[in-house]
Amino acid sequence: MTFHRIELANGLTVIGEPNPAARSMAAGYFVRTGARDETPEINGVSHFLEHMMFKGTARRSADDINREFDEIGANYNAFTSEENTVYFGAVLPEYQWRVIDLLTDMMQPALRLEDFDMEKHVILEEIAMYEDRPQFWVSDLARSAFYEGHPLGYPVLGTTESIRRLTREQMYEYWRRRYASNNLFLALTGNYDWESAVRQVTELTATWRRADAPRDVAAPPGRKVARAVPRPNLQQEHLCFVFPGISAQNDAMFAAEVLAVAIGAPVGSRLYWRLIEPGLATTAQMSHSEEDGTGQFYVYVACPPERTATIVAIVREVLAEATAQGLPPDEIERAKRKVASELVLQGETPFGRLLHVGFDWQYRRQLRPLSEVVDRFLAVTPEEVAAVLARRPFETETLVALGPAERIE
């Protein structure tokens, strides 16, 4: 596999994973900024700013942006997380120039006051609607409890109070610092023309400037908390457990992912057989999230309220058994194959590869072919999984229950 990479004079990096046999190409700007890089006063600005990037530039109105994406038949979107904001589009190869031009122009938003005031109402409505999505809401509540008082626990959407107080000037200052040319990069995948892309981006970003955009990657160890958030109107109890995990820079993240799949894949995992197959819960899943200098294991369960105490006891029992006894080789092998299959299915298109390529570069400054990543997962050994369990991550537990229950232990 041949990879492309160049750092322009202004500090902007462009990377690419070419696939001449593909029938499409994808492009995306990855910005190293999110809720983790905010303060309580401007919490939510990263996500709010993501919305504003679609509201127009000096060259385009909001209608122009949406119309042009439609004209080239793009599959496009953007998202903000605790640590990243990403803007992307996938198109036929003949529209490469237009999608790069459009995405690059969007990185220099107009941030018009009238658009800011209007979009603020949209963000506030989105925060209010979050209560209708208890699975996501309880995850935010649990993460905030786990990292209480630290930016890693800040809600990505912000709070009603922080968004109401936020000013256009604060957003502009945040954009000026965090969207500097040395704090974002452009990733390309699929059937693209590298030389054309480099010439185009070099010209379009000639006026971009570097800036100091630091991030404190030191992370607190997490807290032991059990908290109920009563919501009598909900029909189910939504439980979210958070435990310390493995960072994106630690090679043990491969074993951590395999461990999470073995214990909590939607089908065929330990939690599935203990909770779903007997009909005790409607959803029971475990996942691992690796981040900059830190990581977390999550367990999410939705169940009838009257079974809450039983479910909590079973989850803890499953995790305690894994810690005390380890996982047998055949169980690890099944989990490895599930991870590998999912990666291959996602990677069959340039659009599916874009995020994997981008985050490999964002966190590890590596460009690795899909085959190498799949082989690394398939090479995970029982000893590596045992080493993750030897950290005893499940002894530091945050548990938040959202639903009719008034208390949790």
Side-chain angles (χ1 to χ4, degrees):
M1 172 67 71
T2 299
F3 287 97
H4 293 127
R5 177 170 67 89
I6 187 171
E7 181 176 327
L8 305 183
N10 60 10
L12 174 68
T13 297
V14 185
I15 63 172
E17 181 187 83
N19 181 2
R23 302 291 295 274
S24 65
M25 63 84 60
Y29 274 98
F30 289 70
V31 191
R32 189 172 181 260
T33 204
R36 183 177 189 169
D37 306 294
E38 300 170 355
T39 63
E41 292 73 24
I42 59 169
N43 180 210
V45 66
S46 303
H47 172 256
F48 193 163
L49 179 56
E50 175 214 316
H51 282 229
M52 291 296 295
M53 304 292 273
F54 286 87
K55 293 302 177 181
T57 70
R59 294 168 49 198
R60 292 176 168 92
S61 67
D63 288 343
D64 290 336
I65 291 174
N66 289 297
R67 173 180 52 77
E68 289 187 40
F69 273 126
D70 287 341
E71 284 177 353
I72 60 178
N75 185 355
Y76 71 99
N77 211 330
F79 66 87
T80 305
S81 69
E82 286 80 9
E83 297 192 319
N84 297 282
T85 309
V86 183
Y87 306 84
F88 55 89
V91 295
L92 300 178
E94 54 262 40
Y95 297 116
Q96 170 183 313
W97 191 94
R98 291 189 64 180
V99 74
I100 292 177
D101 179 70
L102 185 48
L103 288 169
T104 305
D105 189 33
M106 286 173 58
M107 296 303 101
Q108 304 291 303
L111 299 183
R112 301 179 183 93
L113 181 59
E114 58 269 27
D115 294 328
F116 177 88
D117 291 339
M118 182 178 298
E119 199 63 23
K120 178 177 285 194
H121 294 292
V122 175
I123 301 297
L124 290 171
E125 289 177 5
E126 190 173 347
I127 293 173
M129 290 171 58
Y130 219 54
E131 295 190 15
D132 296 327
R133 307 173 71 190
Q135 178 176 352
F136 301 102
W137 188 16
V138 73
S139 296
D140 272 5
L141 291 172
R143 184 183 176 100
S144 294
F146 187 73
Y147 286 122
E148 187 170 13
H150 190 278
L152 280 167
Y154 291 173
V156 172
L157 296 183
T159 66
T160 299
E161 294 74 20
S162 66
I163 295 300
R164 281 177 176 162
R165 291 195 306 263
L166 189 68
T167 67
R168 186 266 178 195
E169 288 70 26
Q170 288 174 311
M171 177 178 285
Y172 173 80
E173 177 59 23
Y174 183 84
W175 166 80
R176 188 187 63 79
R177 289 184 293 108
R178 303 302 304 184
Y179 279 67
S181 54
N182 57 311
N183 200 48
L184 53 76
F185 64 89
L186 174 65
L188 306 172
T189 52
N191 190 358
Y192 59 82
D193 183 330
W194 174 250
E195 299 299 332
S196 172
V198 171
R199 288 194 302 269
Q200 180 186 9
V201 174
T202 300
E203 179 180 346
L204 290 174
T205 66
T207 61
W208 289 18
R209 294 290 180 264
R210 300 171 185 257
D212 187 22
R215 168 182 288 170
D216 182 4
V217 296
R223 303 170 65 246
K224 297 184 71 170
V225 181
R227 181 178 300 166
V229 181
R231 287 297 183 273
N233 61 308
L234 295 178
Q235 299 300 308
Q236 290 189 304
E237 197 69 34
H238 298 266
L239 306 172
C240 185
F241 300 75
V242 188
F243 312 93
I246 307 297
S247 78
Q249 292 82 15
N250 190 331
D251 193 60
M253 70 173 187
F254 294 99
E257 179 67 20
V258 170
L259 173 62
V261 170
I263 293 177
V267 178
S269 64
R270 291 192 175 195
L271 289 178
Y272 172 83
W273 291 114
R274 292 292 300 274
L275 297 177
I276 303 300
E277 198 276 338
L280 296 176
T282 57
T283 304
Q285 298 178 12
M286 185 177 191
S287 61
H288 180 262
S289 175
E290 63 268 7
E291 295 175 350
D292 216 350
T294 188
Q296 311 85 33
F297 287 100
Y298 291 90
V299 173
Y300 167 74
V301 183
C303 64
E306 64 273 15
R307 294 182 185 148
T308 299
T310 299
I311 297 296
V312 169
I314 291 175
V315 170
R316 289 171 175 165
E317 181 182 327
V318 167
L319 298 178
E321 287 175 353
T323 301
Q325 303 169 13
L327 271 61
D330 62 327
E331 196 172 349
I332 293 173
E333 287 298 317
R334 289 196 300 271
K336 286 158 54 174
R337 294 183 195 122
K338 286 182 180 180
V339 175
S341 295
E342 184 175 354
L343 282 172
V344 171
L345 290 172
Q346 290 175 348
E348 287 185 335
T349 66
F351 191 52
R353 276 294 288 159
L354 185 67
L355 292 184
H356 292 286
V357 171
F359 286 134
D360 258 355
W361 182 256
Q362 184 79 293
Y363 285 115
R364 293 171 285 277
R365 289 299 186 258
Q366 294 177 335
L367 293 172
R368 299 178 298 177
L370 175 60
S371 59
E372 182 181 313
V373 178
V374 169
D375 287 346
R376 179 63 186 89
F377 272 110
L378 292 175
V380 168
T381 65
E383 290 75 20
E384 288 180 294
V385 175
V388 173
L389 289 168
R391 294 168 174 256
R392 310 190 76 81
F394 307 127
E395 293 182 357
T396 301
E397 173 197 283
T398 284
L399 168 60
V400 172
L402 178 68
E406 295 187 357
R407 62 190 301 270
I408 196 77
E409 295 179 357

